[in-house]
Amino acid sequence: MNKRKLSLCFLEVLIFGVSITHLAYGQNASETPPPQVITADVCNMSLITSIEGNVETILEKCMCNAVNKDVDCSALGITELPNLISFPKGIHIARFDGNKISSLNAETFYNGRDIFELDLSLNRIDFVSVKAFEAFKSLKRLDLSHNRLWNLPSNAFQGLTNLRRLDLSFNDLLAVFPELFTHLSELRELNLKSNPLQELDSKHFAELKKLEVLNLESTLLKVIPDHVFVFTPRLRTLNLANNRLTYIPTDALHVLDHVKSLDLSGNPIEVIPSEAFRGMTGVVNLYLDRMPSLKKIEKYAFGDMIHLQELHCSYNFLLNEIHELAFVRKINNEKVPLSQLFLRQNDLKSIPKSLLNWNEDMELHIRDNALYCDCNMEWMVSIKLKNNFQTHARCAGPADYEGMFLTDLKDNELICGLHLSDVVLIVCSVATAVLILVVIVAFLMWRRSYAGYRKPYFYPIPKNKHINDIDYTGGDDGI
């Protein structure tokens, strides 16, 4: 009896256990498994391309190179990228340049954790999603140049905390807000060339404290805010060429004592004034080429540039004066130790001997100027510099030396004052003037003499005097 009850109890426990197991299994079977993300392997995906105006999907593939660790999707005519693009592990460089891509959506890229360089230049991109680059946590270089970007959301580059180089040149950006760079604390190089920005905010680069290279060429800037570079103490290269600056922005530049290269070429500046580059003691290369309005460089203009090695100041067709103290520092009268001076195609008549401490290690490039070869140029004929500049420098005057190279002259031939040709010209002019004067005087004398010959030898009798009153004797009265 007890055995039977025990068997029944055991059977009930077994049935209950089976029921629980079945119930658990049934519940798991009825649950929906988590969705799988279907990505597009960049090395095997089909691309939407456009060839001669016909848009179609063809089996065009990117070239993946495991040795070089890059994937090349350049110049394939791609018009649209598929969603959820995934890159193979170990690929560090991805190129999509030279296509016809117009937009980057939030889901365009899925996995780019190993990508260090992403090139999207030379496309037609005019839209970038806020989350377009979220997949690239390790990205160090991003190239979006030569596209059609006219606006970027303020947090377009969020998450790119390792980015070192950003190229946005040759787009249509009307404004770049300071918030755009908030997350780019490691950025070293920023290229904004050829965008119609027109103006900068004083805090534009406030978050870019490690910035070393800044290109603002051809951005239609008229003014540089005084404090805009206060936040970029590591800046080494600054390009402000081909803008609309009418004066040297001294107050903005004076904090950049670590800048090595400065380019102000192509701006409509008329005068480089005294101490124009105050505080810029670290500049090595200075570019002032193709300035259509530049006429004069005043004393002490470059004096603070105590490490200046190269000055490029060519193709300034109105530049006719460089003060002899232009390279002298005002506070101690020391001269800048320049090694290369480029002054091609200006309107300079002469170069002051005291301009620099000339020596055989220096180069002077002065071809195609209006050099007037007189006694003030004697030193240029005899001095020996590194590049033998005399073989390329011609005289524009006086007439005796016009068109001659400096190598064809002797320093004892160069005089100040009148040359033989000038003396001959003056003598001929004076002789001609004297001859003309003699002819005029002779004519007047002849005219007067001829008029006297025709004059009658009697005088008319006054009407109020009678003939009988005339004294024919000619003697004195009363005799």
Side-chain angles (χ1 to χ4, degrees):
M1 184 72 180
N2 292 335
K3 291 182 180 181
R4 185 176 182 182
K5 288 182 179 180
L6 183 62
S7 298
L8 289 174
C9 288
F10 178 79
L11 182 61
E12 289 176 359
V13 171
L14 182 61
I15 294 172
F16 177 77
V18 172
S19 299
I20 294 298
T21 303
H22 178 73
L23 179 61
Y25 179 82
Q27 285 177 345
N28 290 335
S30 63
E31 287 181 356
T32 303
Q36 290 185 347
V37 178
I38 302 176
T39 61
D41 185 351
V42 72
C43 297
N44 299 301
M45 64 185 184
S46 298
L47 302 172
I48 300 176
T49 63
S50 173
I51 300 177
E52 296 180 358
N54 297 320
V55 180
E56 57 182 343
T57 301
I58 60 175
L59 296 177
E60 196 78 56
K61 291 185 178 181
C62 301
M63 299 293 294
C64 292
N65 190 323
V67 176
N68 295 331
K69 299 181 179 181
D70 69 345
V71 54
D72 190 356
C73 302
S74 304
L76 296 178
I78 304 171
T79 58
E80 182 180 345
L81 291 173
N83 287 337
L84 303 176
I85 295 176
S86 179
F87 298 92
K89 188 176 181 179
I91 293 293
H92 296 322
I93 301 173
R95 300 188 182 92
F96 293 90
D97 55 295
N99 288 293
K100 302 174 183 179
I101 302 166
S102 60
S103 62
L104 299 175
N105 301 313
E107 298 181 349
T108 299
F109 299 106
Y110 174 72
N111 181 12
R113 64 179 179 272
D114 292 333
I115 300 297
F116 296 153
E117 297 184 18
L118 178 61
D119 190 348
L120 290 159
S121 63
L122 296 164
N123 278 283
R124 302 174 181 178
I125 300 172
D126 59 8
F127 172 78
V128 175
S129 170
V130 173
K131 299 182 178 182
F133 303 112
E134 276 192 342
F136 300 98
K137 302 298 182 182
S138 302
L139 196 64
K140 294 183 178 180
R141 179 181 180 273
L142 175 59
D143 192 344
L144 287 166
S145 64
H146 295 88
N147 277 288
R148 300 176 180 178
L149 293 170
W150 60 274
N151 185 32
L152 282 170
S154 59
N155 51 355
F157 304 125
Q158 64 179 354
L160 300 183
T161 55
N162 292 303
L163 196 66
R164 300 291 196 278
R165 298 174 60 188
L166 175 60
D167 193 343
L168 295 170
S169 62
F170 294 95
N171 278 285
D172 300 316
L173 293 170
L174 297 172
V176 177
F177 299 105
E179 294 78 13
L180 184 66
F181 308 122
T182 300
H183 307 281
L184 306 181
S185 58
E186 294 295 322
L187 196 67
R188 304 296 200 276
E189 182 176 338
L190 176 60
N191 191 350
L192 292 169
K193 178 181 178 179
S194 294
N195 280 282
L197 299 178
Q198 299 190 42
E199 61 182 19
L200 295 175
D201 186 273
S202 59
K203 295 184 178 181
H204 233 109
F205 312 113
E207 303 297 329
L208 304 181
K209 293 179 173 57
K210 295 183 179 180
L211 193 66
E212 297 178 358
V213 179
L214 177 59
N215 192 340
L216 293 169
E217 180 181 349
S218 301
T219 48
L220 306 181
L221 295 174
K222 295 181 180 179
V223 176
I224 305 298
D226 290 349
H227 304 291
V228 70
F229 300 125
V230 171
F231 308 99
T232 56
R234 297 188 182 182
L235 202 61
R236 297 291 183 273
T237 301
L238 177 60
N239 190 342
L240 294 170
N242 299 317
N243 281 293
R244 299 178 178 179
L245 304 176
T246 56
Y247 61 92
I248 303 293
T250 305
D251 291 336
L253 297 176
H254 82 278
V255 298
L256 298 176
D257 55 344
H258 287 88
V259 164
K260 302 296 183 184
S261 177
L262 175 63
D263 194 344
L264 287 164
S265 301
N267 283 285
I269 298 171
E270 293 187 10
V271 177
I272 308 298
S274 177
E275 298 183 281
F277 302 100
R278 171 172 43 86
M280 303 198 74
T281 56
V283 174
V284 175
N285 301 313
L286 177 62
Y287 299 87
L288 299 172
D289 294 327
R290 301 179 305 279
M291 303 179 79
S293 303
L294 184 61
K295 299 177 181 178
K296 183 180 180 181
I297 299 176
E298 296 183 345
K299 62 181 180 180
Y300 311 128
F302 309 114
D304 276 17
M305 295 181 165
I306 58 176
H307 293 104
L308 187 64
Q309 293 294 309
E310 295 183 20
L311 173 60
H312 296 258
C313 189
S314 299
Y315 318 111
N316 303 308
F317 304 122
L318 300 181
L319 178 60
N320 55 33
E321 181 181 350
I322 300 179
H323 197 279
E324 63 180 352
L325 300 179
F327 293 93
V328 173
R329 197 174 192 186
K330 187 176 181 179
I331 60 175
N332 55 16
N333 291 324
E334 290 185 0
K335 289 183 181 179
V336 172
L338 202 67
S339 61
Q340 291 181 296
L341 178 57
F342 294 84
L343 295 171
R344 295 172 177 167
Q345 293 190 33
N346 296 314
D347 191 32
L348 297 170
K349 304 294 187 298
S350 65
I351 302 294
K353 182 179 180 179
S354 59
L355 188 67
L356 293 164
N357 293 325
W358 307 99
N359 58 73
E360 294 185 356
D361 294 325
M362 297 179 62
E363 293 183 15
L364 174 62
H365 302 264
I366 196 172
R367 65 186 304 169
D368 299 323
N369 275 274
L371 299 177
Y372 192 83
C373 298
D374 60 7
C375 63
N376 295 315
M377 296 281 286
E378 287 183 6
W379 72 273
M380 296 188 70
V381 175
S382 58
I383 197 169
K384 294 186 181 299
L385 299 184
K386 186 176 181 179
N387 65 321
N388 296 321
F389 71 96
Q390 294 94 337
T391 59
H392 302 288
R394 291 177 181 267
C395 298
D400 292 348
Y401 304 142
E402 185 176 356
M404 293 179 63
F405 290 103
L406 295 187
T407 49
D408 299 329
L409 301 176
K410 296 180 180 178
D411 53 1
N412 56 6
E413 293 179 347
L414 301 178
I415 62 173
C416 288
L418 299 177
H419 290 255
L420 178 61
S421 59
D422 297 327
V423 174
V424 173
L425 180 61
I426 291 174
V427 170
C428 291
S429 300
V430 172
T432 302
V434 170
L435 181 61
I436 293 174
L437 182 61
V438 169
V439 171
I440 292 174
V441 171
F443 174 75
L444 292 176
M445 292 179 66
W446 173 83
R447 178 81 178 266
R448 184 176 182 181
S449 175
Y450 179 75
Y453 175 79
R454 295 289 302 274
K455 187 176 182 180
Y457 291 98
F458 58 87
Y459 298 95
I461 301 174
K463 293 182 179 181
N464 58 350
K465 195 165 186 178
H466 300 287
I467 297 177
N468 295 332
D469 296 333
I470 301 176
D471 184 6
Y472 292 99
T473 62
D476 296 332
D477 293 341
I479 298 177

